[in-house]
Amino acid sequence: MVTISGKARLAGVLGWPVSHSKSPLLHNFWFERHGLDGVYVPLPVAPTDLASVVRALPRMGFLGCNVTLPHKAAMLDLVDTVDPLAAAIGAVNTVLVGKSGELNGHNTDGLGFLAHLDASVPDWRASTQRVVLVGAGGAARALAFTFLANGINELALVNRTPERAATLVGRLSDSAGAAVSALPWAERHRALEGADLLVNTTSLGMVGQPALDLDLAPLPPAAVVADIVYTPLTTPLLAEAERRGHRTVDGLGMLLHQAVPGFTHWGGTRPVVDEATRRLMLAPPVAEPNTG
Ligand SMILES: NC(=O)c1ccc[n+]([C@@H]2O[C@H](COP(=O)([O-])OP(=O)(O)OC[C@H]3O[C@@H](n4cnc5c(N)ncnc54)[C@H](OP(=O)(O)O)[C@@H]3O)[C@@H](O)[C@H]2O)c1
C-alpha cells in the first residue's frame, strides 16, 4: 500500500482523454516498489486548457509529467527548453520540472525502444547496418531520429501513404551522413533484402486491425524482427518471424522503458524494468464495482 503524505512527490500524465493510460498503474507500482512517498495521477486536460495547466504544474509542486495524445506536438511550444532529440522528432512525451521551476521537454519513445532492444538483443548494435521501418507516423518519427542519433545511418522507410514517408525522409536527410530512403508500399517485401533489423511501427497486427501483409522471405536469416504493437504481445508478424527462426522483440518493453527517464526524475531513483513490471502491464484491468 502506497503511503501518500503531505510531502509526497507528485507527477502525472497529461492527455485528452487519458482514462485509457496505463502510466498511472506503472509509475505508482514503481513508487510502491521503491518504498517512496509519491503519487502519479491521470490529468485529463482539454487542448484549450493545456497551456494554463502546464504552467501551473511546478507551482502546484509537480516534479514533471508524461504527455500523451493529443498534446505531444503542442507541448513543444509550451515548455522552456526542448532537448534536441524531441525537437527533431517534433513531439514531447516527458516534461521534467527543473530546480527553478522551469519546464524541460524530452522525447523518450525512441530511447525506450532502443533500451528494450539493448536488453533483448544485446549484440544488435554491432550487427546492425540497415534498418527497415514499416510506417511513417509519430512512432516511426521517434524511432527514426533516435536510430540516427545512435549511430545507425542506413534507414529505409515503407509506408502506405508515400507522401508521409517522403516528408519524414526529407527531415531525416538533414542529419549528416545518413542514408535514408523511402520505398513504395508495393515494394515493402523487397525492401527487406539486406536488412539487419525490421521494425513494424504501424498499427497493423494490433487487436481489431488486420495483420501486416509482409513476406519475410527476402529478410536475411540473422535479421532481428521487432514490433511496437503490444496487444497482442505476439503479433502475427512476430509469430511468423519466430517460425522462420528470427530473433524477435515485442512492443511492451518500449512502453515500459520510455517511462524510465521520467520516473528517475520524479522518483529520484532509476526503476528496473523486469518480468514483474511486464506482468503488471499485461494484467487485465480490475473490473469496476457493480454499484447498480
Ligand atoms: N510500444 C509502445 O510503447 C508504442 C508507442 C507508440 C505507439 N505504439 C503503437 O504504434 C502504432 C502506431 O502509432 P503512431 O503513434 O505512430 O500512429 P500514427 O501516427 O497514426 O501512424 C500510424 C501508422 O500506421 C500506418 N497504418 C495504419 N493503418 C494502416 C493500414 N491499414 N495499412 C497500412 N498502414 C497503415 C499509417 O500509414 P499511413 O501513413 O498510410 O496512414 C502510419 O504509418 C500504434 O498501434 C500504437 O499503439 C506503441
Side-chain angles (χ1 to χ4, degrees):
M1 179 67 190
V2 185
T3 305
I4 304 165
S5 81
K7 291 182 285 185
R9 296 160 184 265
L10 300 177
V13 54
L14 279 170
W16 185 254
V18 78
S19 55
H20 64 282
S21 174
K22 286 195 161 187
S23 292
L25 183 69
L26 175 62
H27 288 265
N28 288 317
F29 169 77
W30 280 336
F31 274 133
E32 185 175 356
R33 176 184 252 194
H34 291 282
L36 292 167
D37 179 15
V39 66
Y40 184 103
V41 293
L43 297 164
V45 176
T48 45
D49 294 326
L50 187 64
S52 52
V53 170
V54 170
R55 298 315 311 182
L57 286 177
R59 290 186 236 148
M60 296 193 302
F62 274 69
L63 296 169
C65 66
N66 291 117
V67 185
T68 188
L69 298 178
H71 300 320
K72 289 184 178 190
M75 195 58 76
L76 283 172
D77 296 325
L78 300 177
V79 292
D80 299 303
T81 70
V82 179
D83 85 4
L85 185 56
I89 293 168
V92 164
N93 78 337
T94 305
V95 177
L96 307 181
V97 175
K99 285 202 164 53
S100 318
E102 76 277 17
L103 300 166
N104 302 306
H106 301 265
N107 191 307
T108 64
D109 279 333
L111 295 170
F113 179 83
L114 290 201
H116 181 45
L117 201 51
D118 284 335
S120 310
V121 184
D123 66 331
W124 79 271
R125 288 176 193 261
S127 56
T128 301
Q129 302 283 327
R130 175 178 164 84
V131 175
V132 174
L133 292 183
V134 183
R141 218 165 53 227
L143 261 60
F145 279 104
T146 309
F147 273 125
L148 295 189
N150 279 269
I152 294 295
N153 50 25
E154 192 181 340
L155 269 185
L157 306 184
V158 281
N159 194 52
R160 176 184 59 177
T161 307
E163 297 77 19
R164 212 171 177 192
T167 303
L168 180 52
V169 166
R171 292 180 59 184
L172 291 163
S173 299
D174 293 340
S175 301
V180 187
S181 57
L183 289 109
W185 187 241
E187 308 248 325
R188 63 193 179 282
H189 319 289
R190 215 164 55 79
L192 305 184
E193 285 169 9
D196 303 300
L197 173 61
L198 161 69
V199 190
N200 173 42
T201 74
T202 73
S203 45
L204 293 169
M206 201 168 136
V207 173
Q209 293 272 342
L212 170 63
D213 171 16
L214 188 61
D215 176 9
L216 297 186
L219 193 63
V224 174
V225 179
D227 206 324
I228 70 163
V229 168
Y230 56 88
T231 48
L233 204 52
T234 304
T235 59
L237 171 68
L238 294 186
E240 173 62 6
E242 275 170 21
R243 199 185 66 73
R244 288 176 167 272
H246 293 282
R247 288 181 293 173
T248 60
V249 178
D250 68 50
L252 181 60
M254 173 180 173
L255 181 73
L256 300 175
H257 282 281
Q258 63 78 28
V260 168
F263 189 87
T264 303
H265 180 78
W266 45 75
T269 189
R270 191 177 170 82
V272 175
V273 173
D274 59 6
E275 202 41 48
T277 325
R278 286 174 61 88
R279 276 200 305 274
L280 172 87
M281 300 302 270
L282 292 172
V286 178
E288 301 270 333
N290 185 353
T291 52

